[in-house]
Amino acid sequence: MINSKIFKKSFIYSAISLASLMTLGCATSTPQGKYVDGVHDVQAKGKKSQIVLEVHVSNGNITDIKTKSHNETESLFLNAERLLTKVVANNGHEGIDAVSGATYSSNGILEAINKLPRADGSTPAYESVGSKDESANDDFKLKWSIQPKLGLISGDYYYEEARFRQGHMGSMTIVTSSADKNDVILAEFQESGRPNYYTRMYQDVPKRMSEYNFSMGKKKGTAWVQSALTMEKMMVEQDKLTFELNPDYDPKLANKLKQPNRLKYQGIDIVAGASNSIQQSMIPLTAKIYDQIQAQSSHYKFYQHSEKLLDKKGQWTGVTAMLRLVVDTNTKQIVKGHFDEIFADEKAQIKDASLKKFYRQSKYDSINYVEPARIGFNVMIDGLNAHLQQGGSLFDINDLPATGDSGSYASTGFTKRSNSWDIYLSQADILYKQMRADDVIVEHKKP
């Protein structure tokens, strides 16, 4: 007679053993890994060259990576190579940041890893990454747009500037339709920090498209530029440049945001943190301009052209070029010129990972932007303005900073030609053709 307890135990053990064998057999017959086993050569573009890696894969996992060849700056690439151990430990490039100061080389390495053949046959698209310090503002919640209107704008030009409150410099640009002087087509307020500003970094720095808005936004919950944009929109939409005084204005209520009588003027909508700028500078400046407009037409003409810069695939790079020129129609000479490259409003829109941290800023206004030509972008553009004011050609700019390679780095420093000059020349050609058609400018010959 069979002992039922022994039989039950034997059956259970047999079932467990069979299940274990089945599981083991499945694992052996269909190994599941991320990548195809073997030794693979993969490559991608760094800053100066193709970066070629030799990657060893076993059981679907990356076990070793070696650099086969590159022609990057050696010191920068050595920093970027620190990512190789991270890729092995992570079994892939996902979630790994670029090395600060070696963003291009880092992305070359990570993009090469992305090209490893995968076990499932997929080929995911690679998205460039920045370094950790470039993601410092990821939690910044305030929103605003600094993008210029695309295409051509022209009209009668008015400008006023004056210092206020301890020395800040406020300036106001108004452009009206040449057909109707009361039709405001552009209003733009700018302010630069006073020369003795308590934070040295913002002394004499333009606020509109610089880091100042992020710094202020984190401290006060509002960005300076938000009020300026609100007022500018109102001025254009309502053709309104003057504002009535508030008879019940009480300066003691200045910081009480829900109190309508905290504002000096009626009918304005401004956020805290920029109320002094708007009330003490912007509105008084537009009032002066309004009086000028009513007294006589301007003999200064304003021309602006803005264009999104595209890559070789025809996609927006996340940078917009903008050129402004002001012409004295009496002399047919340029009296003011300004060129800038403005970064997109959101990081995701900027293709170059090293530039993502400059979102909602411009090359000219930014404090931290590093011009690859090895000279300040603002120095280049200030030089352009002086060149044009002195009667220089729009197109013959070879005497300006960073228009060619120059100097010895060891003795006098070294400057490379800036790619921005080619972008400027393209915009200058567009405006020049329009100004010549309007017969407001003398001939500018090309070199």
Side-chain angles (χ1 to χ4, degrees):
M1 186 173 182
I2 299 173
N3 188 313
S4 60
K5 289 184 179 180
I6 295 173
F7 177 78
K8 287 179 181 179
K9 284 184 177 180
S10 299
F11 179 79
I12 292 168
Y13 293 152
S14 298
I16 293 171
S17 298
L18 181 61
S20 299
L21 287 170
M22 289 175 66
T23 303
L24 193 60
C26 288
T28 304
S29 60
T30 58
Q32 190 62 40
K34 185 175 179 181
Y35 301 105
V36 175
D37 284 0
V39 179
H40 308 280
D41 283 355
V42 290
Q43 60 180 291
K45 181 73 166 61
K47 184 168 187 178
K48 296 182 176 180
S49 66
Q50 288 292 115
I51 297 171
V52 183
L53 305 177
E54 180 183 281
V55 184
H56 295 246
V57 178
S58 178
N59 295 323
N61 298 316
I62 298 172
T63 58
D64 189 32
I65 308 173
K66 296 177 181 178
T67 302
K68 289 192 73 174
S69 64
H70 76 87
N71 196 26
E72 303 289 279
T73 301
E74 190 64 30
S75 58
L76 297 181
F77 190 76
L78 286 173
N79 279 333
E81 263 192 325
R82 290 154 42 196
L83 296 177
L84 299 182
T85 55
K86 291 184 178 181
V87 171
V88 173
N90 192 55
N91 197 34
H93 72 284
E94 295 85 354
I96 297 177
D97 295 315
V99 175
S100 180
T103 305
Y104 287 100
S105 297
S106 297
N107 275 283
I109 289 172
L110 298 175
E111 185 175 1
I113 296 298
N114 186 62
K115 293 179 179 178
L116 275 175
R118 298 186 178 237
D120 62 5
S122 65
T123 53
Y126 176 76
E127 294 186 7
S128 62
V129 297
S131 60
K132 284 185 177 179
D133 62 334
E134 292 177 352
S135 302
N137 290 327
D138 281 347
D139 59 348
F140 198 81
K141 304 300 182 184
L142 298 178
K143 300 287 184 181
W144 66 86
S145 176
I146 59 165
Q147 294 304 300
K149 184 176 180 180
L150 297 176
L152 181 69
I153 298 174
S154 65
D156 292 348
Y157 172 80
Y158 299 88
Y159 178 84
E160 283 287 338
E161 67 176 30
R163 293 198 178 273
F164 71 103
R165 193 166 54 90
Q166 297 178 299
H168 294 286
M169 175 62 81
S171 62
M172 193 71 209
T173 297
I174 296 292
V175 179
T176 63
S177 168
S178 298
D180 180 1
K181 66 180 182 180
N182 293 311
D183 179 11
V184 179
I185 60 176
L186 184 143
E188 185 174 293
F189 180 58
Q190 177 66 282
E191 181 185 321
S192 295
R194 65 182 191 264
N196 60 345
Y197 197 68
Y198 60 88
T199 302
R200 183 172 181 176
M201 184 164 66
Y202 296 121
Q203 292 173 358
D204 288 319
V205 168
K207 295 181 179 180
R208 188 178 183 88
M209 292 186 285
S210 70
E211 292 86 343
Y212 179 83
N213 289 299
F214 292 92
S215 176
M216 176 182 168
K218 286 184 176 181
K219 291 178 181 178
K220 298 188 176 182
T222 56
W224 175 91
V225 73
Q226 289 178 294
S227 280
L229 292 169
T230 300
M231 291 294 294
E232 291 163 7
K233 183 179 179 182
M234 181 195 307
M235 290 177 177
V236 171
E237 290 180 350
Q238 300 181 17
D239 298 321
K240 185 178 180 65
L241 299 179
T242 59
F243 298 85
E244 298 295 328
L245 290 170
N246 176 9
D248 299 315
Y249 168 61
D250 185 352
K252 294 178 181 178
L253 302 175
N255 295 321
K256 299 185 181 297
L257 303 186
K258 295 182 179 180
Q259 292 291 332
N261 293 329
R262 73 182 182 91
L263 299 174
K264 185 178 179 180
Y265 296 91
Q266 290 181 324
I268 62 175
D269 181 15
I270 54 180
V271 297
S275 57
N276 286 322
S277 298
I278 301 304
Q279 296 179 114
Q280 296 178 21
S281 181
M282 184 182 193
I283 291 177
L285 291 175
T286 58
K288 287 184 178 180
I289 291 174
Y290 176 81
D291 290 340
Q292 294 173 23
I293 293 172
Q294 301 312 307
Q296 60 184 9
S297 297
S298 174
H299 60 89
Y300 295 106
K301 294 293 183 182
F302 173 93
Y303 289 85
Q304 173 181 298
H305 189 266
S306 300
E307 180 180 1
K308 287 187 174 182
L309 301 179
L310 307 180
D311 60 18
K312 293 180 180 179
K313 297 180 180 178
Q315 297 179 329
W316 186 34
T317 61
V319 182
T320 301
M322 181 188 75
L323 175 62
R324 289 179 171 176
L325 298 172
V326 179
V327 183
D328 183 340
T329 58
N330 290 338
T331 63
K332 294 190 176 183
Q333 299 291 332
I334 296 173
V335 295
K336 184 178 289 188
H338 182 72
F339 174 74
D340 206 348
E341 291 178 42
I342 301 164
F343 297 105
D345 293 334
E346 302 298 335
K347 285 184 177 182
Q349 297 171 310
I350 302 173
K351 300 296 184 184
D352 187 334
S354 68
L355 299 176
K356 288 181 181 292
K357 61 183 175 181
F358 300 113
Y359 75 114
R360 295 187 214 153
Q361 299 169 52
S362 79
K363 289 186 178 181
Y364 185 87
D365 283 3
S366 172
I367 304 165
N368 295 313
Y369 171 72
V370 178
E371 169 56 41
R374 303 184 65 87
I375 196 167
F377 186 87
N378 60 323
V379 173
M380 292 165 46
I381 305 311
D382 288 344
L384 171 67
N385 183 41
H387 165 84
L388 295 174
Q389 288 178 336
Q390 292 163 12
S393 168
L394 276 165
F395 308 108
D396 188 0
I397 58 171
N398 292 327
D399 60 329
L400 296 180
T403 52
D405 295 353
S406 62
S408 163
Y409 181 74
S411 59
T412 62
F414 179 74
T415 300
K416 299 189 294 182
R417 177 176 173 82
S418 172
N419 293 334
S420 293
W421 286 126
D422 297 318
I423 300 170
Y424 155 76
L425 289 171
S426 175
Q427 302 304 308
D429 191 53
I430 294 170
L431 288 187
Y432 176 68
K433 289 176 180 176
Q434 184 62 53
M435 292 187 294
R436 288 289 285 173
D438 294 343
D439 193 27
V440 297
I441 192 172
V442 296
E443 183 181 5
H444 283 232
K445 294 183 178 180
K446 297 182 179 181

